[in-house]
Amino acid sequence: MKPGDLAKKSRLTTLELRYLPFWVVPLTATSAYEGILERISPPTPRKGTVQNEYDWLVLGRKGAEFPTRDYKVPVEGKIPFDFTKIEPQAKFLNSELDSDEAVIRAKDEVEDNQRFLLKQEVDQVTQFNTSFSVDKPTYLHAPLWFIQYEYKGKSYNAIIDGSSGNVIRADIPQVDFKMI
């Protein structure tokens, strides 16, 4: 659904390599629930549990936004930290969260995710409680390219995984559809 001439007519305006800090928090979440399934008639009460294992990714920055749910840290590219291997023009950002804060954030986000998954089971939640089993978090830095490009006078952004080359998120210009 991208314009056919995007590669030829776009131009890079900004290309910046950043090493972003992440915490990978391995945990198991077990959510006990009670609720009402209303999409069938008559509405029926239901109760049960939703249990999932996660390697939850938490960005180690407090005021920044990043599409962590769209990003899978490539484990095969993981190497021990060596500051001499960092590109000199790259920005290297340290975490503003310690491991305890990362675990708290992961628990909050996982509980929201569990509640979202629960909507497959019931329409109205009357009781919900989540317990966690958390393993040791891993701290890492991921190389990411932040790109800004211009196409037909408008600016667009993209984020590319620096170790795999995969597009994490990108703004794509709309295709002009014409009626024949």
Side-chain angles (χ1 to χ4, degrees), residues 132-152:
F132 297 95
S133 172
V134 181
D135 289 334
K136 186 177 193 262
T138 302
Y139 180 58
L140 56 89
H141 282 87
L144 297 156
W145 288 99
F146 287 79
I147 299 165
Q148 191 170 50
Y149 69 96
E150 197 173 274
Y151 175 75
K152 293 187 176 180

mmCIF file with all atom_site columns, all heavy atoms in Angstrom, residues 132-152:
data_model
loop_
_atom_site.group_PDB
_atom_site.id
_atom_site.type_symbol
_atom_site.label_atom_id
_atom_site.label_alt_id
_atom_site.label_comp_id
_atom_site.label_asym_id
_atom_site.label_entity_id
_atom_site.label_seq_id
_atom_site.pdbx_PDB_ins_code
_atom_site.Cartn_x
_atom_site.Cartn_y
_atom_site.Cartn_z
_atom_site.occupancy
_atom_site.B_iso_or_equiv
_atom_site.pdbx_formal_charge
_atom_site.auth_seq_id
_atom_site.auth_comp_id
_atom_site.auth_asym_id
_atom_site.auth_atom_id
_atom_site.pdbx_PDB_model_num
ATOM 1   N N   . PHE A 1 132 ? 1.873  -12.515 40.240 1.00 0.00 ? 132 PHE A N   1
ATOM 2   C CA  . PHE A 1 132 ? 3.046  -12.577 39.360 1.00 0.00 ? 132 PHE A CA  1
ATOM 3   C C   . PHE A 1 132 ? 4.132  -13.458 39.953 1.00 0.00 ? 132 PHE A C   1
ATOM 4   O O   . PHE A 1 132 ? 4.327  -13.489 41.167 1.00 0.00 ? 132 PHE A O   1
ATOM 5   C CB  . PHE A 1 132 ? 3.635  -11.177 39.157 1.00 0.00 ? 132 PHE A CB  1
ATOM 6   C CG  . PHE A 1 132 ? 2.708  -10.218 38.483 1.00 0.00 ? 132 PHE A CG  1
ATOM 7   C CD1 . PHE A 1 132 ? 1.917  -9.353  39.220 1.00 0.00 ? 132 PHE A CD1 1
ATOM 8   C CD2 . PHE A 1 132 ? 2.622  -10.168 37.103 1.00 0.00 ? 132 PHE A CD2 1
ATOM 9   C CE1 . PHE A 1 132 ? 1.061  -8.460  38.611 1.00 0.00 ? 132 PHE A CE1 1
ATOM 10  C CE2 . PHE A 1 132 ? 1.763  -9.284  36.478 1.00 0.00 ? 132 PHE A CE2 1
ATOM 11  C CZ  . PHE A 1 132 ? 0.985  -8.430  37.237 1.00 0.00 ? 132 PHE A CZ  1
ATOM 12  N N   . SER A 1 133 ? 4.840  -14.117 39.078 1.00 0.00 ? 133 SER A N   1
ATOM 13  C CA  . SER A 1 133 ? 6.084  -14.793 39.420 1.00 0.00 ? 133 SER A CA  1
ATOM 14  C C   . SER A 1 133 ? 7.135  -14.172 38.503 1.00 0.00 ? 133 SER A C   1
ATOM 15  O O   . SER A 1 133 ? 7.064  -14.313 37.278 1.00 0.00 ? 133 SER A O   1
ATOM 16  C CB  . SER A 1 133 ? 5.965  -16.295 39.163 1.00 0.00 ? 133 SER A CB  1
ATOM 17  O OG  . SER A 1 133 ? 7.226  -16.911 39.328 1.00 0.00 ? 133 SER A OG  1
ATOM 18  N N   . VAL A 1 134 ? 8.095  -13.439 39.085 1.00 0.00 ? 134 VAL A N   1
ATOM 19  C CA  . VAL A 1 134 ? 9.050  -12.661 38.300 1.00 0.00 ? 134 VAL A CA  1
ATOM 20  C C   . VAL A 1 134 ? 10.445 -13.251 38.427 1.00 0.00 ? 134 VAL A C   1
ATOM 21  O O   . VAL A 1 134 ? 10.917 -13.528 39.529 1.00 0.00 ? 134 VAL A O   1
ATOM 22  C CB  . VAL A 1 134 ? 9.064  -11.184 38.771 1.00 0.00 ? 134 VAL A CB  1
ATOM 23  C CG1 . VAL A 1 134 ? 10.026 -10.358 37.939 1.00 0.00 ? 134 VAL A CG1 1
ATOM 24  C CG2 . VAL A 1 134 ? 7.667  -10.588 38.722 1.00 0.00 ? 134 VAL A CG2 1
ATOM 25  N N   . ASP A 1 135 ? 11.105 -13.437 37.281 1.00 0.00 ? 135 ASP A N   1
ATOM 26  C CA  . ASP A 1 135 ? 12.506 -13.851 37.262 1.00 0.00 ? 135 ASP A CA  1
ATOM 27  C C   . ASP A 1 135 ? 13.392 -12.615 37.170 1.00 0.00 ? 135 ASP A C   1
ATOM 28  O O   . ASP A 1 135 ? 12.893 -11.493 37.058 1.00 0.00 ? 135 ASP A O   1
ATOM 29  C CB  . ASP A 1 135 ? 12.781 -14.785 36.083 1.00 0.00 ? 135 ASP A CB  1
ATOM 30  C CG  . ASP A 1 135 ? 12.153 -16.163 36.272 1.00 0.00 ? 135 ASP A CG  1
ATOM 31  O OD1 . ASP A 1 135 ? 11.953 -16.575 37.436 1.00 0.00 ? 135 ASP A OD1 1
ATOM 32  O OD2 . ASP A 1 135 ? 11.855 -16.812 35.258 1.00 0.00 ? 135 ASP A OD2 1
ATOM 33  N N   . LYS A 1 136 ? 14.698 -12.829 37.161 1.00 0.00 ? 136 LYS A N   1
ATOM 34  C CA  . LYS A 1 136 ? 15.657 -11.719 37.156 1.00 0.00 ? 136 LYS A CA  1
ATOM 35  C C   . LYS A 1 136 ? 15.609 -10.944 35.833 1.00 0.00 ? 136 LYS A C   1
ATOM 36  O O   . LYS A 1 136 ? 15.770 -11.525 34.759 1.00 0.00 ? 136 LYS A O   1
ATOM 37  C CB  . LYS A 1 136 ? 17.063 -12.271 37.377 1.00 0.00 ? 136 LYS A CB  1
ATOM 38  C CG  . LYS A 1 136 ? 18.105 -11.203 37.531 1.00 0.00 ? 136 LYS A CG  1
ATOM 39  C CD  . LYS A 1 136 ? 19.465 -11.829 37.809 1.00 0.00 ? 136 LYS A CD  1
ATOM 40  C CE  . LYS A 1 136 ? 20.418 -10.783 38.267 1.00 0.00 ? 136 LYS A CE  1
ATOM 41  N NZ  . LYS A 1 136 ? 21.295 -10.216 37.414 1.00 0.00 ? 136 LYS A NZ  1
ATOM 42  N N   . PRO A 1 137 ? 15.401 -9.628  35.895 1.00 0.00 ? 137 PRO A N   1
ATOM 43  C CA  . PRO A 1 137 ? 15.393 -8.808  34.674 1.00 0.00 ? 137 PRO A CA  1
ATOM 44  C C   . PRO A 1 137 ? 16.786 -8.727  34.047 1.00 0.00 ? 137 PRO A C   1
ATOM 45  O O   . PRO A 1 137 ? 17.801 -8.810  34.744 1.00 0.00 ? 137 PRO A O   1
ATOM 46  C CB  . PRO A 1 137 ? 14.960 -7.426  35.169 1.00 0.00 ? 137 PRO A CB  1
ATOM 47  C CG  . PRO A 1 137 ? 14.398 -7.628  36.523 1.00 0.00 ? 137 PRO A CG  1
ATOM 48  C CD  . PRO A 1 137 ? 15.056 -8.846  37.083 1.00 0.00 ? 137 PRO A CD  1
ATOM 49  N N   . THR A 1 138 ? 16.812 -8.554  32.736 1.00 0.00 ? 138 THR A N   1
ATOM 50  C CA  . THR A 1 138 ? 18.061 -8.382  31.989 1.00 0.00 ? 138 THR A CA  1
ATOM 51  C C   . THR A 1 138 ? 18.099 -6.965  31.439 1.00 0.00 ? 138 THR A C   1
ATOM 52  O O   . THR A 1 138 ? 17.122 -6.500  30.856 1.00 0.00 ? 138 THR A O   1
ATOM 53  C CB  . THR A 1 138 ? 18.140 -9.384  30.818 1.00 0.00 ? 138 THR A CB  1
ATOM 54  O OG1 . THR A 1 138 ? 18.041 -10.711 31.336 1.00 0.00 ? 138 THR A OG1 1
ATOM 55  C CG2 . THR A 1 138 ? 19.426 -9.231  30.040 1.00 0.00 ? 138 THR A CG2 1
ATOM 56  N N   . TYR A 1 139 ? 19.235 -6.308  31.623 1.00 0.00 ? 139 TYR A N   1
ATOM 57  C CA  . TYR A 1 139 ? 19.424 -4.947  31.122 1.00 0.00 ? 139 TYR A CA  1
ATOM 58  C C   . TYR A 1 139 ? 20.227 -5.031  29.835 1.00 0.00 ? 139 TYR A C   1
ATOM 59  O O   . TYR A 1 139 ? 21.244 -5.730  29.767 1.00 0.00 ? 139 TYR A O   1
ATOM 60  C CB  . TYR A 1 139 ? 20.168 -4.131  32.182 1.00 0.00 ? 139 TYR A CB  1
ATOM 61  C CG  . TYR A 1 139 ? 20.436 -2.691  31.808 1.00 0.00 ? 139 TYR A CG  1
ATOM 62  C CD1 . TYR A 1 139 ? 19.401 -1.824  31.487 1.00 0.00 ? 139 TYR A CD1 1
ATOM 63  C CD2 . TYR A 1 139 ? 21.733 -2.189  31.798 1.00 0.00 ? 139 TYR A CD2 1
ATOM 64  C CE1 . TYR A 1 139 ? 19.633 -0.507  31.170 1.00 0.00 ? 139 TYR A CE1 1
ATOM 65  C CE2 . TYR A 1 139 ? 21.984 -0.861  31.489 1.00 0.00 ? 139 TYR A CE2 1
ATOM 66  C CZ  . TYR A 1 139 ? 20.934 -0.025  31.176 1.00 0.00 ? 139 TYR A CZ  1
ATOM 67  O OH  . TYR A 1 139 ? 21.175 1.286   30.862 1.00 0.00 ? 139 TYR A OH  1
ATOM 68  N N   . LEU A 1 140 ? 19.776 -4.316  28.808 1.00 0.00 ? 140 LEU A N   1
ATOM 69  C CA  . LEU A 1 140 ? 20.504 -4.332  27.545 1.00 0.00 ? 140 LEU A CA  1
ATOM 70  C C   . LEU A 1 140 ? 20.312 -3.027  26.806 1.00 0.00 ? 140 LEU A C   1
ATOM 71  O O   . LEU A 1 140 ? 19.437 -2.235  27.133 1.00 0.00 ? 140 LEU A O   1
ATOM 72  C CB  . LEU A 1 140 ? 20.060 -5.512  26.671 1.00 0.00 ? 140 LEU A CB  1
ATOM 73  C CG  . LEU A 1 140 ? 18.579 -5.653  26.334 1.00 0.00 ? 140 LEU A CG  1
ATOM 74  C CD1 . LEU A 1 140 ? 18.255 -4.885  25.071 1.00 0.00 ? 140 LEU A CD1 1
ATOM 75  C CD2 . LEU A 1 140 ? 18.243 -7.099  26.163 1.00 0.00 ? 140 LEU A CD2 1
ATOM 76  N N   . HIS A 1 141 ? 21.169 -2.813  25.837 1.00 0.00 ? 141 HIS A N   1
ATOM 77  C CA  . HIS A 1 141 ? 21.045 -1.669  24.927 1.00 0.00 ? 141 HIS A CA  1
ATOM 78  C C   . HIS A 1 141 ? 20.850 -2.215  23.520 1.00 0.00 ? 141 HIS A C   1
ATOM 79  O O   . HIS A 1 141 ? 21.530 -3.153  23.111 1.00 0.00 ? 141 HIS A O   1
ATOM 80  C CB  . HIS A 1 141 ? 22.315 -0.803  24.959 1.00 0.00 ? 141 HIS A CB  1
ATOM 81  C CG  . HIS A 1 141 ? 22.377 0.076   26.153 1.00 0.00 ? 141 HIS A CG  1
ATOM 82  N ND1 . HIS A 1 141 ? 22.896 -0.329  27.355 1.00 0.00 ? 141 HIS A ND1 1
ATOM 83  C CD2 . HIS A 1 141 ? 21.972 1.350   26.339 1.00 0.00 ? 141 HIS A CD2 1
ATOM 84  C CE1 . HIS A 1 141 ? 22.818 0.647   28.227 1.00 0.00 ? 141 HIS A CE1 1
ATOM 85  N NE2 . HIS A 1 141 ? 22.252 1.687   27.644 1.00 0.00 ? 141 HIS A NE2 1
ATOM 86  N N   . ALA A 1 142 ? 19.917 -1.631  22.800 1.00 0.00 ? 142 ALA A N   1
ATOM 87  C CA  . ALA A 1 142 ? 19.630 -2.063  21.434 1.00 0.00 ? 142 ALA A CA  1
ATOM 88  C C   . ALA A 1 142 ? 19.953 -0.934  20.469 1.00 0.00 ? 142 ALA A C   1
ATOM 89  O O   . ALA A 1 142 ? 19.555 0.215   20.700 1.00 0.00 ? 142 ALA A O   1
ATOM 90  C CB  . ALA A 1 142 ? 18.166 -2.462  21.306 1.00 0.00 ? 142 ALA A CB  1
ATOM 91  N N   . PRO A 1 143 ? 20.675 -1.248  19.379 1.00 0.00 ? 143 PRO A N   1
ATOM 92  C CA  . PRO A 1 143 ? 20.953 -0.222  18.368 1.00 0.00 ? 143 PRO A CA  1
ATOM 93  C C   . PRO A 1 143 ? 19.732 -0.023  17.471 1.00 0.00 ? 143 PRO A C   1
ATOM 94  O O   . PRO A 1 143 ? 19.231 -0.969  16.872 1.00 0.00 ? 143 PRO A O   1
ATOM 95  C CB  . PRO A 1 143 ? 22.124 -0.824  17.581 1.00 0.00 ? 143 PRO A CB  1
ATOM 96  C CG  . PRO A 1 143 ? 21.946 -2.306  17.724 1.00 0.00 ? 143 PRO A CG  1
ATOM 97  C CD  . PRO A 1 143 ? 21.296 -2.536  19.057 1.00 0.00 ? 143 PRO A CD  1
ATOM 98  N N   . LEU A 1 144 ? 19.268 1.212   17.402 1.00 0.00 ? 144 LEU A N   1
ATOM 99  C CA  . LEU A 1 144 ? 18.095 1.531   16.605 1.00 0.00 ? 144 LEU A CA  1
ATOM 100 C C   . LEU A 1 144 ? 18.371 2.762   15.752 1.00 0.00 ? 144 LEU A C   1
ATOM 101 O O   . LEU A 1 144 ? 18.927 3.752   16.244 1.00 0.00 ? 144 LEU A O   1
ATOM 102 C CB  . LEU A 1 144 ? 16.895 1.791   17.518 1.00 0.00 ? 144 LEU A CB  1
ATOM 103 C CG  . LEU A 1 144 ? 16.489 0.581   18.347 1.00 0.00 ? 144 LEU A CG  1
ATOM 104 C CD1 . LEU A 1 144 ? 15.752 0.993   19.595 1.00 0.00 ? 144 LEU A CD1 1
ATOM 105 C CD2 . LEU A 1 144 ? 15.657 -0.362  17.523 1.00 0.00 ? 144 LEU A CD2 1
ATOM 106 N N   . TRP A 1 145 ? 17.983 2.684   14.501 1.00 0.00 ? 145 TRP A N   1
ATOM 107 C CA  . TRP A 1 145 ? 18.105 3.821   13.589 1.00 0.00 ? 145 TRP A CA  1
ATOM 108 C C   . TRP A 1 145 ? 16.789 4.586   13.601 1.00 0.00 ? 145 TRP A C   1
ATOM 109 O O   . TRP A 1 145 ? 15.727 4.016   13.353 1.00 0.00 ? 145 TRP A O   1
ATOM 110 C CB  . TRP A 1 145 ? 18.409 3.351   12.174 1.00 0.00 ? 145 TRP A CB  1
ATOM 111 C CG  . TRP A 1 145 ? 19.798 2.842   12.002 1.00 0.00 ? 145 TRP A CG  1
ATOM 112 C CD1 . TRP A 1 145 ? 20.207 1.538   12.002 1.00 0.00 ? 145 TRP A CD1 1
ATOM 113 C CD2 . TRP A 1 145 ? 20.977 3.629   11.808 1.00 0.00 ? 145 TRP A CD2 1
ATOM 114 N NE1 . TRP A 1 145 ? 21.560 1.475   11.821 1.00 0.00 ? 145 TRP A NE1 1
ATOM 115 C CE2 . TRP A 1 145 ? 22.062 2.738   11.700 1.00 0.00 ? 145 TRP A CE2 1
ATOM 116 C CE3 . TRP A 1 145 ? 21.224 4.994   11.723 1.00 0.00 ? 145 TRP A CE3 1
ATOM 117 C CZ2 . TRP A 1 145 ? 23.362 3.177   11.503 1.00 0.00 ? 145 TRP A CZ2 1
ATOM 118 C CZ3 . TRP A 1 145 ? 22.527 5.428   11.528 1.00 0.00 ? 145 TRP A CZ3 1
ATOM 119 C CH2 . TRP A 1 145 ? 23.576 4.524   11.418 1.00 0.00 ? 145 TRP A CH2 1
ATOM 120 N N   . PHE A 1 146 ? 16.885 5.864   13.894 1.00 0.00 ? 146 PHE A N   1
ATOM 121 C CA  . PHE A 1 146 ? 15.728 6.759   13.822 1.00 0.00 ? 146 PHE A CA  1
ATOM 122 C C   . PHE A 1 146 ? 15.887 7.572   12.550 1.00 0.00 ? 146 PHE A C   1
ATOM 123 O O   . PHE A 1 146 ? 16.878 8.294   12.383 1.00 0.00 ? 146 PHE A O   1
ATOM 124 C CB  . PHE A 1 146 ? 15.653 7.647   15.066 1.00 0.00 ? 146 PHE A CB  1
ATOM 125 C CG  . PHE A 1 146 ? 15.226 6.894   16.284 1.00 0.00 ? 146 PHE A CG  1
ATOM 126 C CD1 . PHE A 1 146 ? 16.121 6.091   16.989 1.00 0.00 ? 146 PHE A CD1 1
ATOM 127 C CD2 . PHE A 1 146 ? 13.910 6.958   16.715 1.00 0.00 ? 146 PHE A CD2 1
ATOM 128 C CE1 . PHE A 1 146 ? 15.714 5.381   18.109 1.00 0.00 ? 146 PHE A CE1 1
ATOM 129 C CE2 . PHE A 1 146 ? 13.494 6.251   17.834 1.00 0.00 ? 146 PHE A CE2 1
ATOM 130 C CZ  . PHE A 1 146 ? 14.403 5.460   18.526 1.00 0.00 ? 146 PHE A CZ  1
ATOM 131 N N   . ILE A 1 147 ? 14.917 7.433   11.676 1.00 0.00 ? 147 ILE A N   1
ATOM 132 C CA  . ILE A 1 147 ? 15.014 8.014   10.337 1.00 0.00 ? 147 ILE A CA  1
ATOM 133 C C   . ILE A 1 147 ? 13.864 8.976   10.116 1.00 0.00 ? 147 ILE A C   1
ATOM 134 O O   . ILE A 1 147 ? 12.723 8.719   10.507 1.00 0.00 ? 147 ILE A O   1
ATOM 135 C CB  . ILE A 1 147 ? 14.962 6.891   9.271  1.00 0.00 ? 147 ILE A CB  1
ATOM 136 C CG1 . ILE A 1 147 ? 16.154 5.947   9.471  1.00 0.00 ? 147 ILE A CG1 1
ATOM 137 C CG2 . ILE A 1 147 ? 14.919 7.452   7.874  1.00 0.00 ? 147 ILE A CG2 1
ATOM 138 C CD1 . ILE A 1 147 ? 16.024 4.643   8.735  1.00 0.00 ? 147 ILE A CD1 1
ATOM 139 N N   . GLN A 1 148 ? 14.200 10.084  9.468  1.00 0.00 ? 148 GLN A N   1
ATOM 140 C CA  . GLN A 1 148 ? 13.170 10.999  9.008  1.00 0.00 ? 148 GLN A CA  1
ATOM 141 C C   . GLN A 1 148 ? 13.409 11.171  7.509  1.00 0.00 ? 148 GLN A C   1
ATOM 142 O O   . GLN A 1 148 ? 14.555 11.342  7.074  1.00 0.00 ? 148 GLN A O   1
ATOM 143 C CB  . GLN A 1 148 ? 13.260 12.332  9.730  1.00 0.00 ? 148 GLN A CB  1
ATOM 144 C CG  . GLN A 1 148 ? 12.070 13.222  9.485  1.00 0.00 ? 148 GLN A CG  1
ATOM 145 C CD  . GLN A 1 148 ? 12.081 14.429  10.413 1.00 0.00 ? 148 GLN A CD  1
ATOM 146 O OE1 . GLN A 1 148 ? 13.089 15.112  10.523 1.00 0.00 ? 148 GLN A OE1 1
ATOM 147 N NE2 . GLN A 1 148 ? 10.962 14.667  11.058 1.00 0.00 ? 148 GLN A NE2 1
ATOM 148 N N   . TYR A 1 149 ? 12.332 11.070  6.736  1.00 0.00 ? 149 TYR A N   1
ATOM 149 C CA  . TYR A 1 149 ? 12.463 11.257  5.290  1.00 0.00 ? 149 TYR A CA  1
ATOM 150 C C   . TYR A 1 149 ? 11.337 12.128  4.775  1.00 0.00 ? 149 TYR A C   1
ATOM 151 O O   . TYR A 1 149 ? 10.328 12.324  5.432  1.00 0.00 ? 149 TYR A O   1
ATOM 152 C CB  . TYR A 1 149 ? 12.512 9.904   4.566  1.00 0.00 ? 149 TYR A CB  1
ATOM 153 C CG  . TYR A 1 149 ? 11.226 9.106   4.574  1.00 0.00 ? 149 TYR A CG  1
ATOM 154 C CD1 . TYR A 1 149 ? 10.335 9.166   3.501  1.00 0.00 ? 149 TYR A CD1 1
ATOM 155 C CD2 . TYR A 1 149 ? 10.909 8.258   5.637  1.00 0.00 ? 149 TYR A CD2 1
ATOM 156 C CE1 . TYR A 1 149 ? 9.173  8.425   3.497  1.00 0.00 ? 149 TYR A CE1 1
ATOM 157 C CE2 . TYR A 1 149 ? 9.742  7.512   5.643  1.00 0.00 ? 149 TYR A CE2 1
ATOM 158 C CZ  . TYR A 1 149 ? 8.881  7.590   4.569  1.00 0.00 ? 149 TYR A CZ  1
ATOM 159 O OH  . TYR A 1 149 ? 7.730  6.856   4.562  1.00 0.00 ? 149 TYR A OH  1
ATOM 160 N N   . GLU A 1 150 ? 11.576 12.666  3.599  1.00 0.00 ? 150 GLU A N   1
ATOM 161 C CA  . GLU A 1 150 ? 10.616 13.568  2.981  1.00 0.00 ? 150 GLU A CA  1
ATOM 162 C C   . GLU A 1 150 ? 10.122 12.943  1.683  1.00 0.00 ? 150 GLU A C   1
ATOM 163 O O   . GLU A 1 150 ? 10.895 12.354  0.922  1.00 0.00 ? 150 GLU A O   1
ATOM 164 C CB  . GLU A 1 150 ? 11.306 14.902  2.705  1.00 0.00 ? 150 GLU A CB  1
ATOM 165 C CG  . GLU A 1 150 ? 10.357 16.039  2.455  1.00 0.00 ? 150 GLU A CG  1
ATOM 166 C CD  . GLU A 1 150 ? 11.112 17.354  2.370  1.00 0.00 ? 150 GLU A CD  1
ATOM 167 O OE1 . GLU A 1 150 ? 11.352 17.954  3.436  1.00 0.00 ? 150 GLU A OE1 1
ATOM 168 O OE2 . GLU A 1 150 ? 11.455 17.744  1.234  1.00 0.00 ? 150 GLU A OE2 1
ATOM 169 N N   . TYR A 1 151 ? 8.820  13.073  1.461  1.00 0.00 ? 151 TYR A N   1
ATOM 170 C CA  . TYR A 1 151 ? 8.210  12.580  0.232  1.00 0.00 ? 151 TYR A CA  1
ATOM 171 C C   . TYR A 1 151 ? 7.113  13.558  -0.156 1.00 0.00 ? 151 TYR A C   1
ATOM 172 O O   . TYR A 1 151 ? 6.200  13.820  0.636  1.00 0.00 ? 151 TYR A O   1
ATOM 173 C CB  . TYR A 1 151 ? 7.639  11.170  0.449  1.00 0.00 ? 151 TYR A CB  1
ATOM 174 C CG  . TYR A 1 151 ? 6.891  10.607  -0.725 1.00 0.00 ? 151 TYR A CG  1
ATOM 175 C CD1 . TYR A 1 151 ? 7.567  10.145  -1.849 1.00 0.00 ? 151 TYR A CD1 1
ATOM 176 C CD2 . TYR A 1 151 ? 5.500  10.540  -0.725 1.00 0.00 ? 151 TYR A CD2 1
ATOM 177 C CE1 . TYR A 1 151 ? 6.877  9.614   -2.924 1.00 0.00 ? 151 TYR A CE1 1
ATOM 178 C CE2 . TYR A 1 151 ? 4.805  10.021  -1.784 1.00 0.00 ? 151 TYR A CE2 1
ATOM 179 C CZ  . TYR A 1 151 ? 5.493  9.561   -2.899 1.00 0.00 ? 151 TYR A CZ  1
ATOM 180 O OH  . TYR A 1 151 ? 4.810  9.041   -3.972 1.00 0.00 ? 151 TYR A OH  1
ATOM 181 N N   . LYS A 1 152 ? 7.238  14.125  -1.341 1.00 0.00 ? 152 LYS A N   1
ATOM 182 C CA  . LYS A 1 152 ? 6.275  15.094  -1.871 1.00 0.00 ? 152 LYS A CA  1
ATOM 183 C C   . LYS A 1 152 ? 5.996  16.223  -0.878 1.00 0.00 ? 152 LYS A C   1
ATOM 184 O O   . LYS A 1 152 ? 4.850  16.576  -0.604 1.00 0.00 ? 152 LYS A O   1
ATOM 185 C CB  . LYS A 1 152 ? 4.980  14.410  -2.295 1.00 0.00 ? 152 LYS A CB  1
ATOM 186 C CG  . LYS A 1 152 ? 5.148  13.490  -3.491 1.00 0.00 ? 152 LYS A CG  1
ATOM 187 C CD  . LYS A 1 152 ? 3.824  12.965  -3.987 1.00 0.00 ? 152 LYS A CD  1
ATOM 188 C CE  . LYS A 1 152 ? 4.021  12.131  -5.244 1.00 0.00 ? 152 LYS A CE  1
ATOM 189 N NZ  . LYS A 1 152 ? 2.775  11.592  -5.764 1.00 0.00 ? 152 LYS A NZ  1
#
